[in-house]
Amino acid sequence: AGMSGGRPELVVLDLNLPKMHGLDVLRTIKGDARLKDIPVVVMSSQLRQEDALQARQLGASAVLSKSASPEAISDALGNLGIAGSGRLR
């Protein structure tokens, strides 16, 4: 995914960030009128069910474990209509 008019077409967001929790970043993105329509795929190496649920409630387009197969990632991106997602297979 590339940039369209200075905006990303997709955000891939890790929940485990050094200075701010990924759910706080997601809340900020979805609360900004200029950014809220950008699909956000949340990924985590230690995905807890409550974090996945909260990410969905905050507007994440997909929630995946970092251990997800390339096919699962490609399918999630394909469901979002992200061009070129087939290259992950």
Side-chain angles (χ1 to χ4, degrees):
M3 299 281 279
S4 171
R7 288 173 19 126
E9 294 177 27
L10 172 72
V11 173
V12 178
L13 178 62
D14 192 335
L15 290 183
N16 301 313
L17 301 173
K19 296 189 181 205
M20 178 185 257
H21 194 275
L23 291 174
D24 294 325
V25 174
L26 178 60
R27 190 176 288 109
T28 299
I29 290 170
K30 293 304 180 179
D32 186 320
R34 298 167 297 158
L35 304 175
K36 69 180 182 178
D37 294 330
I38 298 171
V40 178
V41 175
V42 171
M43 298 188 81
S44 180
S45 58
Q46 301 173 354
L47 188 60
R48 300 179 326 169
Q49 186 173 0
E50 54 268 22
D51 288 339
L53 178 61
Q54 190 172 7
R56 285 284 191 186
Q57 290 171 339
L58 290 170
S61 301
V63 180
L64 299 167
S65 168
K66 283 187 179 178
S67 62
S69 69
E71 291 81 13
I73 295 169
S74 183
D75 288 347
L77 295 177
N79 289 340
L80 296 174
I82 304 299
S85 57
R87 288 182 278 164
L88 294 174
R89 291 184 188 249

